[in-house]
Amino acid sequence: MSDQARILKFQIFRYNPLKPGDKPRMVTYEVTEAPGMTIFIALNEIREEQDPSLQFDFVCRAGICGSCGMVVNGRPDLACRTLTSKFADGEIKLLPLPGFELIGDLSVNTGKFMRSMSERVESWIHDTTADEVNFDKLEERMDPDLADKIYELERCVECGCCVSACATKRMRPDFLSAVGFMRLARYTLDPRDKRTDEEYYEIMGDDDGVFGCMTLLGCEDYCPKDLPHQTQIAYLRRKMALVR
Amino acid sequence: MKVIYTDSLVIGGGLAGLRVAIAAKQRGYESIILSLIPAKRSHSAAAQGGMQASLGACVKGNGDDEDVHFSDTVKGSDWGCDQDVARMFVNTAPKAIRQLSAWGVPWSRVQGGDRDVIINGEKVTITENHEAQGLITARDFGGTKKWRTCFTSDGTGHTMLYAMDNKAIQMEIPVHERKEAIALIHEDGVCHGAVVRDLITGELIAYVAKATTIATGGYGRLYSVSTNAVISEGIGTAIALETGVATLGNMEAVQFHPTAIVPVGILTTEGCRGDGGLLLDKDGYRFMPDYEPEKKELASRDVVSRRMTEHMRKGKGVSSRYGDHLWLDITLLGRKHIEKNLREVKEICEYFLGIDPVKEYIPVRPTQHYSMGGVRTRATGESPTLKGLFSAGEAACWDMHGFNRLGGNSVAETVVAGMIVGEYVADHCAANALKISTSTIEHFMKAEEKKITELLVRDYGENPFELKVAMQKIMMDKVGIFRNGEDLAQAVEELKVLNQRAKNIALRNKISSSNPELVEAIRVPKMIKMAQCVAYGAQLRTESRGAHAREDYPERNDRDWLKRTLTTWTDDSADLPEVSYEDLDVMKMELPPGSRGYGVDNTVHHPDTPKRLSQVEEIQKANPSANRHEMQELLNPLTIPEKFKGKNERIGRGYK
């Protein structure tokens, strides 16, 4: 790395819907690059030193919690783990994730979307005996490889990048999206969940569900956790097609 | 005035808060959870390595039980913990993990037969018992006698949090997101809820409840570099302090984790060392066996962090533009293991360091990680001084960790405390009616409104971001891993000055709705008070215990300091908190004070210790036929909610 620090140019979407008269616009900020700088570090620096009104969301800043999804130079991604050194020309354009309610600037309400997704897919183990389980006794056994497979599908952090990258979602506002399909795939794999295929069909067996997917697979391309969306959507479709 | 009524108000949507709300709801009480963020993004998700519970199913966990877990926890705490609480905890942890299993956590399971593992730098083949096939397995962690840390790869907190939040969604428990509690409503020693600011609209709302539970996590962000999420600023604990009635416990007890990456301070799990990773110095030399021949890299966290610091002070650190660091070597674990069981670590290394830990060493340094201190509670989770105020998880000083927490005991505590405290919250809701006059609510709402208005109209004043950075630097430089009287005295004085300056914050962005600068301006004065509690408590405690290491008082001094620090802030205009102490009663300890087995034992013993030791011996002699459960009853009779009293089954051992 050369000793001469670069000046990064951030173009950031600004709009506060709660501020009377405010209009959407792009604003440019300059930041001196530091070694190992991430977009998390740069945005905080801009807020602290240049514009204290700038809104964005970070929580874990380690790529674990999924709070900081935003569109970085055209790609939905986790901003906290995106190094500024990745961009050769030092120009970084940041937009809020589309497909979610805008809170302000780069902050969107993914929480509201994800809670309603969870309610819609009934994102919990369906087993009437789960609450009566005698936890003094040995737990129910599970095949070790199956446990690993379930974990594989449970690595989703609900960042919303798949929703923003989804062309079907753009056309169908109520489209369940990859995050919902991944959750369903996780439960269909889990023997603790006693739901039948018919019950899953009620949740996703229509055009707002798995049959609406146009298979453009933005979800697969942009998932920050590299989850196997393509395979799982195909799997669910086949499974649902066999129901009726 | 907008007022929302409920039975049980929970502040914080992480594992502890969710579990308390679930417990109250199961008993039929309405619960509302307030959270700064969507619950699934809480800092609980960042717990990587695992949850301790003495299931004893894997072969290296055979022989484990509540008693061994208890002894590890008490020793780990440097005898600073409340042994009643530690006992309730270890007895309930196996139930907690089994319940979570039924609720959907895909715990890693035992695979019968041979497998290769790395122990003490050597490849060893161990043979898992076929009878245990498919039961929940465990990995090794620091400061534990058995392999007890149950896990899902290194995303344990994530899977636990998802299962818990999903359960809360199933039970239709509302989580009011992007809401911040900024003051507690209380009168005549009773807490009635909180004044809450909507972080989007800026509206103030009174949440009024029979029981209010603070479950807002730790205060790691008082330090410049912390493994904690950026929201772990201790605000929940601070609003308890600001009542002037609730007490905080052991605020000076702050843990540093040995292996956070340099410079950003993101955690790499203890599982790295538990699974066989080594610590190396600038010469590639494995130094821990020289300092701690028995436990080596897997000594307790406080010990490893101090040894690493000592070694770097000897000039053995790797120098970098961000200061000295050491290496964490997991290359010997092999690609297959890393990609399966340490994949978050691998991702973190790739994204933040640009290295592949399968082939390269990870630069690490001890970094602020955990707050043992917090809202002082009884074993029921209720504040002893402010009725109706409860606390659970890292926010609380329930006090199962004393002066040092064992790895894997934090997520375990969140869930177990949630279960136990949740029952007492429900009991409280059953026994108490909501009695509060609206003028009291109005009084607290007006006070907060006034503070915010003052911030918004002041033309010139202090910059809240700058005050925070100054506070974090003081804590980092002077209230760190090793402490001394001189630095602490300076820290206390410098923080007093910041406290005064924080009364004169002015904003550049003068709007009352969504405004990150206003959020900072509300939080920073609270954070400075919290920092003062930590620094002042550390200055007054002239001994070394667990993570509180005084260079000028290197011995653990049970004679004078076997007591818990209690901090209150009764006079808001005062520039220091008031500190008092409560004794830990040696004569009631199930495990009387002894040596932890690290370095030289220079403990100054308490006069009651030999008395209690011989008393314990007499009780054991007098009851030769008592089994371990009966013996525990004799040594440490406990009150524990009825539903958690059952004995725990183990493979090959039954309920013995």
Side-chain angles (χ1 to χ4, degrees):
Chain A
M1 197 175 293
S2 81
D3 285 344
Q4 191 68 38
R6 291 197 299 174
I7 303 293
L8 301 169
K9 208 186 249 184
F10 281 88
Q11 274 186 281
I12 299 178
F13 174 86
R14 300 298 313 268
Y15 175 50
N16 182 351
L18 287 173
K19 194 172 168 186
D22 203 31
K23 290 208 171 67
R25 65 205 182 278
M26 297 300 290
V27 177
T28 305
Y29 302 88
E30 290 188 351
V31 174
T32 309
E33 190 172 37
M37 185 177 250
T38 57
I39 293 180
F40 160 72
I41 295 170
L43 284 176
N44 274 289
E45 204 175 299
I46 293 171
R47 182 194 272 175
E48 285 165 28
E49 291 167 15
Q50 301 184 42
D51 190 338
S53 68
L54 181 62
Q55 297 183 54
F56 48 77
D57 294 316
F58 290 98
V59 178
C60 76
R61 62 80 174 89
I64 289 168
C65 76
S67 299
C68 63
M70 58 183 77
V71 182
V72 183
N73 284 348
R75 276 184 72 100
D77 209 344
L78 298 179
C80 74
R81 64 178 200 189
T82 303
L83 294 168
T84 55
S85 57
K86 208 173 123 178
F87 305 101
D89 60 0
E91 294 199 8
I92 300 168
K93 192 178 191 177
L94 301 177
L95 293 158
L97 284 185
F100 298 97
E101 182 184 298
L102 181 75
I103 291 173
D105 304 335
L106 301 171
S107 172
V108 293
N109 204 336
T110 50
K112 192 171 164 186
F113 178 98
M114 294 301 168
R115 169 101 184 192
S116 92
M117 177 278 291
S118 287
E119 288 166 350
R120 183 166 159 194
V121 305
E122 302 187 7
S123 170
W124 53 84
I125 296 284
H126 287 57
D127 178 358
T128 46
T129 64
D131 281 328
E132 279 90 57
V133 68
N134 180 350
F135 47 43
D136 296 340
K137 284 169 63 171
L138 290 185
E139 64 277 10
E140 199 149 308
R141 292 171 197 252
M142 183 183 273
D143 175 61
D145 296 330
L146 178 60
D148 292 345
K149 277 187 196 144
I150 296 170
Y151 173 65
E152 195 59 36
L153 305 188
E154 186 152 296
R155 293 179 64 247
C156 167
V157 295
E158 297 192 348
C159 63
C161 289
C162 61
V163 178
S164 291
C166 177
T168 311
K169 174 76 169 73
R170 212 59 72 81
M171 294 163 58
R172 296 182 169 277
D174 293 329
F175 186 56
L176 185 55
S177 309
V179 59
F181 299 139
M182 188 54 65
R183 190 61 49 82
L184 285 164
R186 177 242 174 277
Y187 284 104
T188 59
L189 193 62
D190 194 329
R192 294 170 294 194
D193 195 312
K194 310 296 183 209
R195 275 181 278 188
T196 61
D197 285 354
E198 284 75 15
E199 286 171 288
Y200 284 120
Y201 190 91
E202 288 304 314
I203 296 170
M204 62 173 145
D206 62 10
D207 284 353
D208 278 332
V210 78
F211 296 128
C213 171
M214 300 190 297
T215 25
L216 291 174
L217 295 171
C219 50
E220 177 88 10
D221 294 341
Y222 295 104
C223 176
K225 291 286 158 183
D226 292 324
L227 291 168
H229 294 289
Q230 180 175 0
T231 325
Q232 293 307 317
I233 290 171
Y235 161 79
L236 289 176
R237 258 152 97 128
R238 238 176 91 86
K239 195 175 172 70
M240 290 302 104
L242 293 173
V243 174
R244 292 187 185 172
Chain B
M1 187 168 66
K2 186 166 171 185
V3 185
I4 292 174
Y5 293 91
T6 186
D7 295 321
S8 155
L9 175 67
V10 178
I11 306 171
L15 279 169
L18 288 164
R19 190 62 185 82
V20 167
I22 289 169
K25 185 81 194 253
Q26 280 175 329
R27 295 262 304 269
Y29 299 100
E30 284 307 311
S31 299
I32 294 176
I33 296 170
L34 302 174
S35 180
L36 297 174
I37 52 169
K40 284 192 175 83
R41 311 212 188 290
S42 303
H43 187 53
S44 304
Q48 299 169 351
M51 161 170 176
Q52 281 205 46
S54 59
L55 301 179
C58 70
V59 69
K60 287 284 194 180
N62 284 176
D64 200 9
D65 58 30
E66 298 84 355
D67 298 352
V68 188
H69 191 185
F70 175 76
S71 154
D72 284 345
T73 302
V74 174
K75 284 180 186 167
S77 80
D78 220 353
W79 273 271
C81 73
D82 180 329
Q83 296 197 7
D84 290 358
V85 168
R87 196 27 109 166
M88 287 166 85
F89 161 74
V90 297
N91 287 12
T92 311
K95 304 180 205 305
I97 206 161
R98 285 170 174 161
Q99 183 170 62
L100 280 171
S101 183
W103 290 357
V105 175
W107 296 109
S108 292
R109 305 286 171 146
V110 177
Q111 178 91 59
D114 287 353
R115 65 183 178 113
D116 289 338
V117 296
I118 306 286
I119 297 174
N120 192 20
E122 307 283 336
K123 190 187 267 188
V124 181
T125 303
I126 60 175
T127 310
E128 293 290 355
N129 198 337
H130 284 287
E131 274 174 31
Q133 171 80 18
L135 293 174
I136 297 171
T137 191
R139 58 163 39 129
D140 199 7
F141 249 45
T144 64
K145 274 219 172 69
K146 301 282 178 184
W147 290 23
R148 186 187 299 126
T149 305
C150 307
F151 62 97
T152 47
S153 181
D154 60 349
T156 315
H158 170 88
T159 59
M160 291 172 70
L161 183 61
Y162 270 53
M164 196 70 89
D165 187 48
N166 287 335
K167 186 73 193 171
I169 294 172
Q170 180 192 1
M171 294 175 72
E172 298 176 5
I173 294 170
V175 179
H176 293 193
E177 291 172 11
R178 295 182 190 260
K179 300 276 192 294
E180 176 159 24
I182 56 173
L184 291 175
I185 300 168
H186 63 102
E187 192 176 39
D188 302 329
V190 183
C191 181
H192 296 290
V195 176
V196 174
R197 182 167 176 272
D198 184 314
L199 294 173
I200 298 176
T201 64
E203 184 185 21
L204 290 187
I205 309 160
Y207 281 76
V208 174
K210 291 178 179 176
T212 304
T213 304
I214 292 174
T216 48
Y219 44 87
R221 288 280 160 177
L222 300 182
Y223 288 80
S224 326
V225 186
S226 166
T227 63
N228 288 188
V230 298
I231 53 166
S232 299
E233 298 187 312
I235 303 305
T237 311
I239 61 174
L241 177 70
E242 286 186 331
T243 61
V245 184
T247 53
L248 308 187
N250 287 344
M251 290 296 286
E252 67 271 34
V254 177
Q255 180 179 76
F256 290 75
H257 193 289
T259 60
I261 64 170
V262 178
V264 289
I266 295 170
L267 180 75
T268 58
T269 171
E270 186 156 318
C272 292
R273 282 170 290 133
D275 291 1
L278 304 175
L279 291 168
L280 306 177
D281 67 12
K282 67 172 183 182
D283 305 319
Y285 176 71
R286 184 185 175 199
F287 57 92
M288 275 309 293
D290 295 350
Y291 294 97
E292 297 296 339
E294 198 197 328
K295 293 293 283 185
K296 306 177 184 75
E297 282 84 358
L298 288 174
S300 238
R301 281 182 183 167
D302 58 328
V303 176
V304 179
S305 287
R306 281 196 293 275
R307 296 308 198 182
M308 289 169 73
T309 308
E310 267 181 82
H311 201 63
M312 286 191 281
R313 283 178 177 180
K314 288 179 188 162
K316 293 293 182 184
V318 183
S319 50
S320 80
R321 63 194 305 160
Y322 301 107
D324 285 359
H325 65 77
L326 292 159
W327 298 116
L328 172 63
D329 172 16
I330 60 170
T331 60
L332 67 168
L333 307 184
R335 179 174 299 279
K336 201 177 146 213
H337 181 88
I338 292 170
E339 286 181 351
K340 179 165 177 279
N341 283 331
L342 296 168
R343 52 192 303 172
E344 291 296 335
V345 168
K346 185 160 185 283
E347 262 189 30
I348 286 166
C349 288
E350 287 166 351
Y351 280 97
F352 293 93
L353 299 168
I355 63 163
D356 178 2
V358 173
K359 296 184 207 138
E360 291 163 275
Y361 298 162
I362 309 167
V364 295
R365 184 160 63 204
T367 300
Q368 194 290 335
H369 181 61
Y370 189 81
S371 315
M372 276 75 74
V375 180
R376 177 67 189 131
T377 73
R378 297 194 175 105
T380 58
E382 190 174 15
S383 162
T385 46
L386 187 55
K387 200 169 172 248
L389 179 71
F390 292 79
S391 185
E394 190 175 352
C397 181
W398 193 34
D399 217 1
M400 61 165 275
H401 306 303
F403 276 75
N404 175 61
R405 170 177 73 73
L406 293 183
N409 261 355
S410 67
V411 276
E413 179 191 25
T414 60
V415 181
V416 171
M419 291 163 83
I420 293 173
V421 174
E423 291 304 319
Y424 289 114
V425 164
D427 289 351
H428 179 90
C429 291
N432 291 276
L434 194 58
K435 272 181 281 176
I436 181 175
S437 94
T438 48
S439 63
T440 306
I441 304 173
E442 207 170 341
H443 165 78
F444 280 91
M445 290 283 275
K446 283 260 156 62
E448 293 310 308
E449 228 171 76
K450 182 164 168 275
K451 283 187 216 162
I452 291 170
T453 308
E454 281 171 6
L455 284 169
L456 292 172
V457 300
R458 193 173 288 135
D459 285 326
Y460 303 101
E462 299 283 349
N463 175 330
F465 297 107
E466 285 174 16
L467 291 176
K468 181 160 136 184
V469 170
M471 170 203 68
Q472 289 172 326
K473 187 165 166 29
I474 294 168
M475 295 302 285
M476 199 71 191
D477 295 346
K478 293 171 183 166
V479 199
I481 298 177
F482 282 108
R483 302 166 174 183
N484 64 67
E486 198 179 321
D487 283 351
L488 290 168
Q490 279 177 19
V492 168
E493 287 311 309
E494 289 168 13
L495 288 168
K496 272 187 198 168
V497 175
L498 288 186
N499 176 313
Q500 292 304 313
R501 287 174 60 191
K503 291 178 178 165
N504 190 35
I505 290 174
L507 304 180
R508 289 164 287 172
N509 182 33
K510 296 183 191 306
I511 61 170
S512 65
S513 64
S514 186
N515 177 355
E517 192 186 23
L518 177 57
V519 169
E520 204 74 352
I522 292 170
R523 288 181 191 170
V524 165
K526 296 180 179 1
M527 293 176 75
I528 292 172
K529 284 184 190 162
M530 294 279 288
Q532 289 184 276
C533 294
V534 178
Y536 191 38
Q539 184 192 15
L540 295 178
R541 185 173 281 271
T542 49
E543 67 151 355
S544 293
R545 184 179 297 276
H548 172 69
R550 286 283 299 254
E551 289 165 306
D552 42 356
Y553 296 93
E555 71 291 337
R556 187 182 94 203
N557 184 344
D558 288 356
R559 186 189 61 209
D560 304 319
W561 285 105
L562 197 54
K563 43 189 163 192
R564 188 173 294 117
T565 309
L566 296 178
T567 312
T568 50
W569 204 304
T570 48
D571 174 7
D572 197 50
S573 64
D575 61 2
L576 263 187
E578 291 146 51
V579 173
S580 61
Y581 296 93
E582 62 181 340
D583 287 332
L584 273 67
D585 188 352
V586 176
M587 296 309 290
K588 288 197 173 137
M589 286 185 183
E590 183 178 344
L591 187 66
S595 163
R596 291 171 79 193
Y598 299 119
V600 187
D601 178 22
N602 53 6
T603 307
V604 179
H605 281 287
H606 193 279
D608 285 349
T609 299
K611 280 188 235 167
R612 178 60 179 165
L613 277 167
S614 57
Q615 197 181 46
V616 167
E617 216 170 286
E618 277 164 34
I619 294 172
Q620 285 164 341
K621 257 191 221 154
N623 300 279
S625 59
N627 65 31
R628 67 184 187 91
H629 303 289
E630 290 158 352
M631 188 50 65
Q632 183 231 301
E633 273 300 308
L634 287 166
L635 293 175
N636 189 13
L638 277 186
T639 317
I640 194 166
E642 197 57 39
K643 58 175 85 163
F644 307 132
K645 276 189 177 156
K647 290 175 186 154
N648 299 306
E649 189 186 7
R650 288 179 182 80
I651 186 80
R653 183 165 165 181
Y655 291 90
K656 279 186 190 145

